[in-house]
Short mmCIF file of all heavy atoms in Angstrom, two decimals:
data_model
loop_
_atom_site.label_atom_id
_atom_site.label_comp_id
_atom_site.label_asym_id
_atom_site.label_seq_id
_atom_site.Cartn_x
_atom_site.Cartn_y
_atom_site.Cartn_z
N MET A 26 -21.61 -12.05 4.48
CA MET A 26 -20.67 -11.74 3.40
C MET A 26 -20.36 -13.01 2.61
O MET A 26 -20.22 -14.08 3.18
CB MET A 26 -19.39 -11.16 4.00
CG MET A 26 -18.47 -10.55 2.96
SD MET A 26 -17.13 -9.59 3.71
CE MET A 26 -16.04 -10.88 4.25
N GLU A 27 -20.26 -12.85 1.31
CA GLU A 27 -19.94 -14.01 0.48
C GLU A 27 -18.54 -14.52 0.78
O GLU A 27 -17.67 -13.78 1.21
CB GLU A 27 -20.05 -13.62 -1.00
CG GLU A 27 -18.97 -12.65 -1.44
CD GLU A 27 -19.23 -12.04 -2.81
OE1 GLU A 27 -19.98 -11.05 -2.88
OE2 GLU A 27 -18.69 -12.57 -3.77
N GLU A 28 -18.35 -15.79 0.52
CA GLU A 28 -17.04 -16.40 0.75
C GLU A 28 -16.04 -15.89 -0.28
O GLU A 28 -16.32 -15.85 -1.47
CB GLU A 28 -17.15 -17.92 0.65
CG GLU A 28 -17.73 -18.57 1.87
CD GLU A 28 -16.77 -18.55 3.05
OE1 GLU A 28 -15.59 -18.83 2.84
OE2 GLU A 28 -17.22 -18.23 4.15
N ARG A 29 -14.87 -15.51 0.20
CA ARG A 29 -13.80 -15.10 -0.70
C ARG A 29 -12.55 -15.87 -0.32
O ARG A 29 -12.26 -16.02 0.86
CB ARG A 29 -13.53 -13.61 -0.59
CG ARG A 29 -14.67 -12.73 -1.07
CD ARG A 29 -14.18 -11.29 -1.11
NE ARG A 29 -15.16 -10.41 -1.72
CZ ARG A 29 -15.91 -9.56 -1.04
NH1 ARG A 29 -15.81 -9.48 0.26
NH2 ARG A 29 -16.76 -8.76 -1.65
N ASP A 30 -11.82 -16.30 -1.29
CA ASP A 30 -10.59 -17.02 -0.96
C ASP A 30 -9.38 -16.42 -1.66
O ASP A 30 -8.32 -17.03 -1.72
CB ASP A 30 -10.72 -18.51 -1.27
CG ASP A 30 -11.10 -18.76 -2.73
OD1 ASP A 30 -11.16 -17.79 -3.50
OD2 ASP A 30 -11.33 -19.93 -3.08
N GLY A 31 -9.53 -15.22 -2.19
CA GLY A 31 -8.39 -14.54 -2.80
C GLY A 31 -7.67 -13.69 -1.76
O GLY A 31 -7.75 -13.95 -0.57
N PHE A 32 -7.00 -12.66 -2.22
CA PHE A 32 -6.30 -11.76 -1.31
C PHE A 32 -6.13 -10.41 -1.97
O PHE A 32 -6.28 -10.28 -3.19
CB PHE A 32 -4.94 -12.34 -0.88
CG PHE A 32 -4.11 -12.85 -2.02
CD1 PHE A 32 -3.21 -12.01 -2.66
CD2 PHE A 32 -4.24 -14.16 -2.47
CE1 PHE A 32 -2.45 -12.47 -3.73
CE2 PHE A 32 -3.47 -14.63 -3.54
CZ PHE A 32 -2.57 -13.77 -4.16
N ILE A 33 -5.83 -9.41 -1.15
CA ILE A 33 -5.65 -8.04 -1.64
C ILE A 33 -4.17 -7.80 -1.89
O ILE A 33 -3.33 -8.13 -1.05
CB ILE A 33 -6.14 -7.01 -0.59
CG1 ILE A 33 -7.55 -7.32 -0.11
CG2 ILE A 33 -6.03 -5.59 -1.15
CD1 ILE A 33 -8.63 -7.15 -1.12
N VAL A 34 -3.86 -7.22 -3.04
CA VAL A 34 -2.48 -6.85 -3.31
C VAL A 34 -2.41 -5.34 -3.57
O VAL A 34 -3.39 -4.72 -3.98
CB VAL A 34 -1.89 -7.60 -4.52
CG1 VAL A 34 -1.77 -9.08 -4.22
CG2 VAL A 34 -2.71 -7.37 -5.77
N SER A 35 -1.25 -4.77 -3.32
CA SER A 35 -1.00 -3.35 -3.53
C SER A 35 -0.10 -3.19 -4.74
O SER A 35 1.02 -3.68 -4.77
CB SER A 35 -0.34 -2.77 -2.28
OG SER A 35 0.12 -1.46 -2.53
N ILE A 36 -0.62 -2.51 -5.75
CA ILE A 36 0.15 -2.30 -6.99
C ILE A 36 0.05 -0.83 -7.36
O ILE A 36 -1.03 -0.34 -7.68
CB ILE A 36 -0.41 -3.14 -8.16
CG1 ILE A 36 -0.51 -4.61 -7.77
CG2 ILE A 36 0.44 -2.96 -9.41
CD1 ILE A 36 -1.32 -5.44 -8.75
N GLY A 37 1.16 -0.12 -7.30
CA GLY A 37 1.14 1.27 -7.73
C GLY A 37 0.61 2.25 -6.69
O GLY A 37 0.00 3.25 -7.04
N CYS A 38 0.85 1.94 -5.42
CA CYS A 38 0.44 2.85 -4.35
C CYS A 38 1.14 4.20 -4.52
O CYS A 38 2.33 4.27 -4.80
CB CYS A 38 0.83 2.24 -3.00
SG CYS A 38 0.62 3.37 -1.61
N ARG A 39 0.36 5.27 -4.33
CA ARG A 39 0.92 6.63 -4.45
C ARG A 39 1.08 7.31 -3.11
O ARG A 39 1.18 8.54 -3.03
CB ARG A 39 0.05 7.45 -5.39
CG ARG A 39 0.10 6.91 -6.81
CD ARG A 39 -0.52 7.85 -7.80
NE ARG A 39 -0.59 7.23 -9.11
CZ ARG A 39 -1.24 7.76 -10.14
NH1 ARG A 39 -1.89 8.89 -10.01
NH2 ARG A 39 -1.24 7.14 -11.29
N LYS A 40 0.99 6.54 -2.05
CA LYS A 40 1.29 7.03 -0.70
C LYS A 40 0.34 8.13 -0.22
O LYS A 40 0.73 8.96 0.60
CB LYS A 40 2.74 7.55 -0.60
CG LYS A 40 3.79 6.56 -1.11
CD LYS A 40 5.17 7.18 -0.97
CE LYS A 40 6.26 6.26 -1.49
NZ LYS A 40 7.59 6.85 -1.37
N CYS A 41 -0.88 8.17 -0.73
CA CYS A 41 -1.78 9.26 -0.35
C CYS A 41 -2.33 9.12 1.06
O CYS A 41 -2.76 10.08 1.67
CB CYS A 41 -2.95 9.34 -1.35
SG CYS A 41 -4.15 8.01 -1.16
N GLY A 42 -2.35 7.89 1.57
CA GLY A 42 -2.78 7.66 2.95
C GLY A 42 -4.27 7.49 3.15
O GLY A 42 -4.72 7.29 4.29
N LYS A 43 -5.06 7.55 2.12
CA LYS A 43 -6.52 7.50 2.29
C LYS A 43 -7.01 6.15 2.81
O LYS A 43 -8.05 6.07 3.44
CB LYS A 43 -7.20 7.82 0.96
CG LYS A 43 -6.99 9.26 0.56
CD LYS A 43 -8.08 9.77 -0.35
CE LYS A 43 -7.96 11.28 -0.49
NZ LYS A 43 -8.02 11.73 -1.86
N CYS A 44 -6.29 5.10 2.53
CA CYS A 44 -6.75 3.77 2.96
C CYS A 44 -6.45 3.50 4.42
O CYS A 44 -7.04 2.60 5.02
CB CYS A 44 -6.08 2.70 2.10
SG CYS A 44 -4.28 2.69 2.24
N GLU A 45 -5.56 4.25 5.02
CA GLU A 45 -5.03 3.86 6.32
C GLU A 45 -6.05 3.78 7.43
O GLU A 45 -5.94 2.95 8.32
CB GLU A 45 -3.89 4.81 6.73
CG GLU A 45 -2.63 4.50 5.97
CD GLU A 45 -1.49 5.41 6.37
OE1 GLU A 45 -1.71 6.62 6.49
OE2 GLU A 45 -0.40 4.89 6.56
N ASN A 46 -7.06 4.63 7.41
CA ASN A 46 -8.02 4.65 8.51
C ASN A 46 -9.23 3.75 8.30
O ASN A 46 -10.04 3.60 9.20
CB ASN A 46 -8.50 6.08 8.77
CG ASN A 46 -7.37 6.95 9.28
OD1 ASN A 46 -6.50 6.49 10.00
ND2 ASN A 46 -7.37 8.21 8.87
N VAL A 47 -9.38 3.16 7.12
CA VAL A 47 -10.57 2.35 6.88
C VAL A 47 -10.39 0.89 7.29
O VAL A 47 -11.37 0.18 7.47
CB VAL A 47 -11.05 2.41 5.42
CG1 VAL A 47 -11.37 3.84 5.02
CG2 VAL A 47 -10.07 1.78 4.47
N CYS A 48 -9.17 0.43 7.41
CA CYS A 48 -8.95 -0.97 7.76
C CYS A 48 -9.09 -1.16 9.27
O CYS A 48 -8.27 -0.68 10.04
CB CYS A 48 -7.59 -1.45 7.30
SG CYS A 48 -7.35 -3.21 7.65
N LEU A 49 -10.14 -1.88 9.67
CA LEU A 49 -10.41 -2.09 11.09
C LEU A 49 -9.57 -3.22 11.66
O LEU A 49 -9.56 -3.45 12.86
CB LEU A 49 -11.90 -2.42 11.29
CG LEU A 49 -12.86 -1.34 10.79
CD1 LEU A 49 -14.30 -1.77 11.00
CD2 LEU A 49 -12.60 -0.01 11.48
N ASN A 50 -8.86 -3.93 10.80
CA ASN A 50 -8.08 -5.08 11.25
C ASN A 50 -6.58 -4.78 11.36
O ASN A 50 -5.81 -5.66 11.70
CB ASN A 50 -8.28 -6.25 10.28
CG ASN A 50 -9.73 -6.67 10.21
OD1 ASN A 50 -10.37 -6.82 11.23
ND2 ASN A 50 -10.25 -6.82 9.02
N GLY A 51 -6.20 -3.55 11.07
CA GLY A 51 -4.78 -3.21 11.12
C GLY A 51 -3.95 -4.01 10.13
O GLY A 51 -2.79 -4.30 10.37
N ALA A 52 -4.57 -4.34 9.01
CA ALA A 52 -3.89 -5.17 8.02
C ALA A 52 -3.04 -4.38 7.04
O ALA A 52 -2.27 -4.96 6.29
CB ALA A 52 -4.90 -6.02 7.26
N LEU A 53 -3.20 -3.07 7.05
CA LEU A 53 -2.43 -2.23 6.13
C LEU A 53 -1.22 -1.66 6.85
O LEU A 53 -1.34 -1.14 7.96
CB LEU A 53 -3.30 -1.10 5.58
CG LEU A 53 -4.50 -1.53 4.74
CD1 LEU A 53 -5.37 -0.33 4.40
CD2 LEU A 53 -4.06 -2.25 3.48
N TYR A 54 -0.07 -1.77 6.23
CA TYR A 54 1.14 -1.21 6.82
C TYR A 54 2.01 -0.67 5.69
O TYR A 54 1.77 -0.95 4.51
CB TYR A 54 1.89 -2.27 7.64
CG TYR A 54 2.40 -3.44 6.83
CD1 TYR A 54 3.73 -3.51 6.43
CD2 TYR A 54 1.54 -4.46 6.44
CE1 TYR A 54 4.21 -4.58 5.68
CE2 TYR A 54 2.00 -5.54 5.69
CZ TYR A 54 3.33 -5.59 5.31
OH TYR A 54 3.79 -6.64 4.56
N ARG A 55 2.98 0.14 6.07
CA ARG A 55 3.80 0.79 5.04
C ARG A 55 5.23 0.26 5.02
O ARG A 55 5.81 -0.01 6.05
CB ARG A 55 3.86 2.29 5.35
CG ARG A 55 2.49 2.94 5.34
CD ARG A 55 2.47 4.04 4.32
NE ARG A 55 1.38 4.97 4.54
CZ ARG A 55 1.19 6.00 3.75
NH1 ARG A 55 2.00 6.26 2.75
NH2 ARG A 55 0.17 6.82 3.97
N ILE A 56 5.76 0.17 3.81
CA ILE A 56 7.18 -0.08 3.63
C ILE A 56 7.69 1.02 2.72
O ILE A 56 7.22 1.16 1.59
CB ILE A 56 7.44 -1.46 2.99
CG1 ILE A 56 6.98 -2.58 3.91
CG2 ILE A 56 8.93 -1.61 2.66
CD1 ILE A 56 7.12 -3.97 3.32
N ASN A 57 8.58 1.85 3.24
CA ASN A 57 9.07 3.02 2.49
C ASN A 57 7.92 3.89 2.00
O ASN A 57 8.00 4.49 0.92
CB ASN A 57 9.93 2.58 1.30
CG ASN A 57 11.21 1.89 1.74
OD1 ASN A 57 11.74 2.18 2.81
ND2 ASN A 57 11.71 0.98 0.94
N GLY A 58 6.85 3.95 2.78
CA GLY A 58 5.72 4.80 2.41
C GLY A 58 4.67 4.11 1.57
O GLY A 58 3.54 4.56 1.48
N PHE A 59 5.03 3.00 0.96
CA PHE A 59 4.09 2.26 0.13
C PHE A 59 3.26 1.32 0.98
O PHE A 59 3.80 0.60 1.83
CB PHE A 59 4.83 1.45 -0.94
CG PHE A 59 5.59 2.29 -1.93
CD1 PHE A 59 6.96 2.42 -1.84
CD2 PHE A 59 4.91 2.96 -2.94
CE1 PHE A 59 7.67 3.19 -2.75
CE2 PHE A 59 5.61 3.73 -3.87
CZ PHE A 59 6.99 3.85 -3.77
N VAL A 60 1.96 1.30 0.74
CA VAL A 60 1.06 0.45 1.52
C VAL A 60 1.20 -1.01 1.11
O VAL A 60 1.27 -1.34 -0.08
CB VAL A 60 -0.39 0.93 1.36
CG1 VAL A 60 -1.38 -0.13 1.82
CG2 VAL A 60 -0.61 2.22 2.13
N ASN A 61 1.26 -1.87 2.10
CA ASN A 61 1.25 -3.32 1.90
C ASN A 61 0.13 -3.93 2.73
O ASN A 61 -0.38 -3.30 3.65
CB ASN A 61 2.60 -3.92 2.33
CG ASN A 61 3.66 -3.75 1.24
OD1 ASN A 61 3.90 -4.63 0.45
ND2 ASN A 61 4.27 -2.57 1.21
N VAL A 62 -0.23 -5.17 2.42
CA VAL A 62 -1.33 -5.83 3.10
C VAL A 62 -0.82 -7.05 3.86
O VAL A 62 -0.13 -7.90 3.27
CB VAL A 62 -2.42 -6.28 2.10
CG1 VAL A 62 -3.59 -6.93 2.83
CG2 VAL A 62 -2.89 -5.10 1.26
N ASP A 63 -1.16 -7.13 5.15
CA ASP A 63 -0.86 -8.31 5.95
C ASP A 63 -2.00 -9.31 5.73
O ASP A 63 -3.11 -9.12 6.22
CB ASP A 63 -0.75 -7.92 7.43
CG ASP A 63 -0.38 -9.11 8.31
OD1 ASP A 63 -0.61 -10.25 7.89
OD2 ASP A 63 0.14 -8.87 9.42
N HIS A 64 -1.74 -10.37 4.99
CA HIS A 64 -2.80 -11.31 4.62
C HIS A 64 -3.29 -12.12 5.80
O HIS A 64 -4.38 -12.69 5.75
CB HIS A 64 -2.30 -12.24 3.50
CG HIS A 64 -1.87 -11.48 2.27
ND1 HIS A 64 -2.74 -10.68 1.55
CD2 HIS A 64 -0.68 -11.37 1.67
CE1 HIS A 64 -2.08 -10.13 0.55
NE2 HIS A 64 -0.83 -10.52 0.60
N GLN A 65 -2.52 -12.17 6.87
CA GLN A 65 -2.96 -12.88 8.07
C GLN A 65 -4.06 -12.10 8.77
O GLN A 65 -4.93 -12.67 9.42
CB GLN A 65 -1.79 -13.09 9.04
CG GLN A 65 -0.59 -13.81 8.45
CD GLN A 65 -0.91 -15.23 8.03
OE1 GLN A 65 -1.70 -15.92 8.67
NE2 GLN A 65 -0.33 -15.66 6.93
N LYS A 66 -4.01 -10.78 8.66
CA LYS A 66 -4.99 -9.93 9.36
C LYS A 66 -6.17 -9.54 8.48
O LYS A 66 -7.25 -9.24 8.98
CB LYS A 66 -4.30 -8.65 9.86
CG LYS A 66 -3.27 -8.91 10.95
CD LYS A 66 -2.66 -7.59 11.40
CE LYS A 66 -1.64 -7.83 12.51
NZ LYS A 66 -0.92 -6.58 12.84
N CYS A 67 -5.97 -9.48 7.19
CA CYS A 67 -7.01 -9.02 6.26
C CYS A 67 -8.18 -9.99 6.21
O CYS A 67 -7.99 -11.20 6.06
CB CYS A 67 -6.40 -8.87 4.87
SG CYS A 67 -7.61 -8.44 3.61
N ASP A 68 -9.41 -9.46 6.36
CA ASP A 68 -10.59 -10.31 6.25
C ASP A 68 -11.34 -10.06 4.93
O ASP A 68 -12.50 -10.44 4.79
CB ASP A 68 -11.52 -10.13 7.46
CG ASP A 68 -12.13 -8.74 7.50
OD1 ASP A 68 -11.88 -7.92 6.58
OD2 ASP A 68 -12.87 -8.47 8.45
N LEU A 69 -10.68 -9.40 4.00
CA LEU A 69 -11.24 -9.18 2.65
C LEU A 69 -12.53 -8.38 2.67
O LEU A 69 -13.44 -8.62 1.88
CB LEU A 69 -11.45 -10.53 1.93
CG LEU A 69 -10.18 -11.39 1.78
CD1 LEU A 69 -10.53 -12.75 1.22
CD2 LEU A 69 -9.16 -10.69 0.90
N CYS A 70 -12.61 -7.40 3.57
CA CYS A 70 -13.83 -6.58 3.67
C CYS A 70 -13.98 -5.64 2.46
O CYS A 70 -15.06 -5.12 2.22
CB CYS A 70 -13.81 -5.76 4.96
SG CYS A 70 -12.64 -4.39 4.94
N MET A 71 -12.90 -5.40 1.76
CA MET A 71 -12.89 -4.59 0.54
C MET A 71 -13.01 -3.08 0.77
O MET A 71 -13.10 -2.31 -0.19
CB MET A 71 -13.98 -5.04 -0.45
CG MET A 71 -13.98 -6.52 -0.74
SD MET A 71 -12.45 -7.09 -1.49
CE MET A 71 -12.79 -6.76 -3.20
N LYS A 72 -12.98 -2.64 2.01
CA LYS A 72 -13.09 -1.19 2.28
C LYS A 72 -11.93 -0.42 1.65
O LYS A 72 -12.11 0.64 1.06
CB LYS A 72 -13.11 -0.92 3.79
CG LYS A 72 -14.42 -1.30 4.45
CD LYS A 72 -14.47 -0.75 5.86
CE LYS A 72 -15.75 -1.14 6.56
NZ LYS A 72 -15.56 -2.15 7.61
N CYS A 73 -10.73 -0.94 1.79
CA CYS A 73 -9.56 -0.25 1.25
C CYS A 73 -9.60 -0.23 -0.28
O CYS A 73 -9.20 0.75 -0.91
CB CYS A 73 -8.28 -0.89 1.75
SG CYS A 73 -8.07 -2.62 1.26
N VAL A 74 -10.09 -1.31 -0.86
CA VAL A 74 -10.18 -1.40 -2.32
C VAL A 74 -11.10 -0.30 -2.85
O VAL A 74 -10.81 0.36 -3.84
CB VAL A 74 -10.69 -2.79 -2.74
CG1 VAL A 74 -10.96 -2.84 -4.25
CG2 VAL A 74 -9.69 -3.87 -2.35
N LYS A 75 -12.22 -0.09 -2.12
CA LYS A 75 -13.19 0.90 -2.57
C LYS A 75 -12.70 2.33 -2.38
O LYS A 75 -13.05 3.22 -3.16
CB LYS A 75 -14.50 0.71 -1.80
CG LYS A 75 -15.24 -0.54 -2.27
CD LYS A 75 -16.48 -0.80 -1.43
CE LYS A 75 -17.07 -2.15 -1.80
NZ LYS A 75 -17.85 -2.72 -0.71
N ILE A 76 -11.90 2.58 -1.36
CA ILE A 76 -11.54 3.96 -1.05
C ILE A 76 -10.28 4.44 -1.79
O ILE A 76 -10.09 5.66 -1.96
CB ILE A 76 -11.36 4.15 0.48
CG1 ILE A 76 -11.63 5.60 0.83
CG2 ILE A 76 -9.97 3.74 0.94
CD1 ILE A 76 -11.77 5.84 2.31
N CYS A 77 -9.45 3.56 -2.24
CA CYS A 77 -8.20 3.99 -2.89
C CYS A 77 -8.50 4.73 -4.19
O CYS A 77 -9.05 4.15 -5.12
CB CYS A 77 -7.29 2.79 -3.17
SG CYS A 77 -5.79 3.29 -4.05
N PRO A 78 -8.12 6.00 -4.28
CA PRO A 78 -8.41 6.78 -5.48
C PRO A 78 -7.54 6.38 -6.67
O PRO A 78 -7.84 6.76 -7.80
CB PRO A 78 -8.11 8.22 -5.05
CG PRO A 78 -7.15 8.10 -3.93
CD PRO A 78 -7.42 6.80 -3.25
N ASN A 79 -6.50 5.62 -6.41
CA ASN A 79 -5.59 5.23 -7.47
C ASN A 79 -5.76 3.77 -7.91
O ASN A 79 -4.97 3.28 -8.70
CB ASN A 79 -4.15 5.47 -7.01
CG ASN A 79 -3.93 6.92 -6.66
OD1 ASN A 79 -4.18 7.80 -7.45
ND2 ASN A 79 -3.50 7.18 -5.43
N LYS A 80 -6.78 3.10 -7.34
CA LYS A 80 -7.01 1.68 -7.66
C LYS A 80 -5.75 0.85 -7.46
O LYS A 80 -5.46 -0.06 -8.24
CB LYS A 80 -7.54 1.53 -9.09
CG LYS A 80 -8.92 2.17 -9.29
CD LYS A 80 -9.51 1.84 -10.63
CE LYS A 80 -10.98 2.17 -10.74
NZ LYS A 80 -11.41 3.43 -10.18
N ALA A 81 -5.02 1.20 -6.41
CA ALA A 81 -3.76 0.50 -6.15
C ALA A 81 -3.98 -0.77 -5.34
O ALA A 81 -3.10 -1.61 -5.27
CB ALA A 81 -2.80 1.43 -5.42
N LEU A 82 -5.13 -0.87 -4.67
CA LEU A 82 -5.44 -2.08 -3.90
C LEU A 82 -6.41 -2.91 -4.71
O LEU A 82 -7.49 -2.44 -5.07
CB LEU A 82 -6.01 -1.70 -2.54
CG LEU A 82 -4.98 -1.00 -1.63
CD1 LEU A 82 -5.65 -0.28 -0.49
CD2 LEU A 82 -3.96 -1.98 -1.12
N VAL A 83 -6.00 -4.12 -5.01
CA VAL A 83 -6.74 -4.96 -5.96
C VAL A 83 -6.98 -6.33 -5.36
O VAL A 83 -6.08 -6.92 -4.76
CB VAL A 83 -5.92 -5.12 -7.27
CG1 VAL A 83 -6.67 -5.96 -8.29
CG2 VAL A 83 -5.57 -3.76 -7.85
N TYR A 84 -8.21 -6.82 -5.54
CA TYR A 84 -8.52 -8.18 -5.09
C TYR A 84 -8.12 -9.18 -6.18
O TYR A 84 -8.52 -9.05 -7.34
CB TYR A 84 -10.02 -8.30 -4.81
CG TYR A 84 -10.45 -9.70 -4.47
CD1 TYR A 84 -10.06 -10.28 -3.27
CD2 TYR A 84 -11.23 -10.44 -5.35
CE1 TYR A 84 -10.44 -11.57 -2.95
CE2 TYR A 84 -11.62 -11.73 -5.03
CZ TYR A 84 -11.21 -12.29 -3.83
OH TYR A 84 -11.58 -13.56 -3.52
N MET A 85 -7.31 -10.15 -5.78
CA MET A 85 -6.87 -11.19 -6.71
C MET A 85 -7.52 -12.51 -6.30
O MET A 85 -7.49 -12.87 -5.13
CB MET A 85 -5.34 -11.36 -6.63
CG MET A 85 -4.57 -10.08 -6.90
SD MET A 85 -4.44 -9.67 -8.63
CE MET A 85 -3.24 -10.89 -9.15
N GLU A 86 -8.09 -13.21 -7.26
CA GLU A 86 -8.70 -14.52 -6.98
C GLU A 86 -7.62 -15.53 -6.64
O GLU A 86 -6.55 -15.50 -7.20
CB GLU A 86 -9.48 -15.02 -8.20
CG GLU A 86 -10.70 -14.18 -8.51
CD GLU A 86 -11.90 -14.59 -7.68
OE1 GLU A 86 -11.85 -15.66 -7.04
OE2 GLU A 86 -12.88 -13.85 -7.69
S1 SF4 B 28 -9.76 -5.62 2.60
FE1 SF4 B 28 -10.45 -4.80 4.57
S2 SF4 B 28 -9.32 -5.98 6.11
FE2 SF4 B 28 -8.27 -6.26 4.16
S3 SF4 B 28 -6.67 -4.70 4.14
FE3 SF4 B 28 -8.47 -3.83 3.09
S4 SF4 B 28 -9.60 -2.73 4.67
FE4 SF4 B 28 -8.16 -4.10 5.70
S1 SF4 B 29 -5.33 4.81 -0.77
FE1 SF4 B 29 -4.22 3.70 -2.40
S2 SF4 B 29 -2.64 5.11 -3.17
FE2 SF4 B 29 -3.40 5.89 -1.20
S3 SF4 B 29 -1.96 5.07 0.34
FE3 SF4 B 29 -3.69 3.62 0.18
S4 SF4 B 29 -3.04 2.10 -1.36
FE4 SF4 B 29 -1.70 3.88 -1.55
#
C-alpha cells in the first residue's frame, strides 16, 4: 500500500451504519449516532471511505 500521512474525517454522517462492519481495526465509533474515527487505530485502508453512500468519510491530506 502506498504511504499515506493524512487522516479520515467524518463530515455529514447520516447514521446509516453501512461503514460499521468494514473497519477491521475498530477505528469507527459513534457519538450520538454520528460516526467518528479513532486516528490512533485507523490504518487508512480507505474501506469506509469507499462504502459510505453519503461520502461522509473523507481522506484529508
Ligand atoms: S480507513 Fe480503514 S481503518 Fe480507517 S476508519 Fe476507515 S475502515 Fe477503519
Ligand atoms: S456509512 Fe457514512 S453515513 Fe453511514 S454511518 Fe458510516 S459515515 Fe455515516
Side-chain angles (χ1 to χ4, degrees):
M26 191 169 77
E27 68 192 83
E28 282 288 316
R29 293 189 173 106
D30 57 5
F32 48 91
I33 309 292
V34 294
S35 170
I36 306 168
C38 171
R39 294 191 186 171
K40 309 180 181 179
C41 73
K43 292 205 169 131
C44 61
E45 284 181 315
N46 294 325
V47 301
C48 183
L49 301 178
N50 299 313
L53 297 173
Y54 64 100
R55 299 239 199 180
I56 296 176
N57 295 331
F59 296 103
V60 164
N61 279 264
V62 182
D63 183 338
H64 301 299
Q65 304 297 324
K66 294 181 179 173
C67 175
D68 67 2
L69 302 173
C70 73
M71 309 299 275
K72 287 192 181 108
C73 61
V74 173
K75 287 175 188 155
I76 206 168
C77 177
N79 301 306
K80 295 188 166 43
L82 293 163
V83 181
Y84 175 69
M85 304 281 286
E86 293 276 348

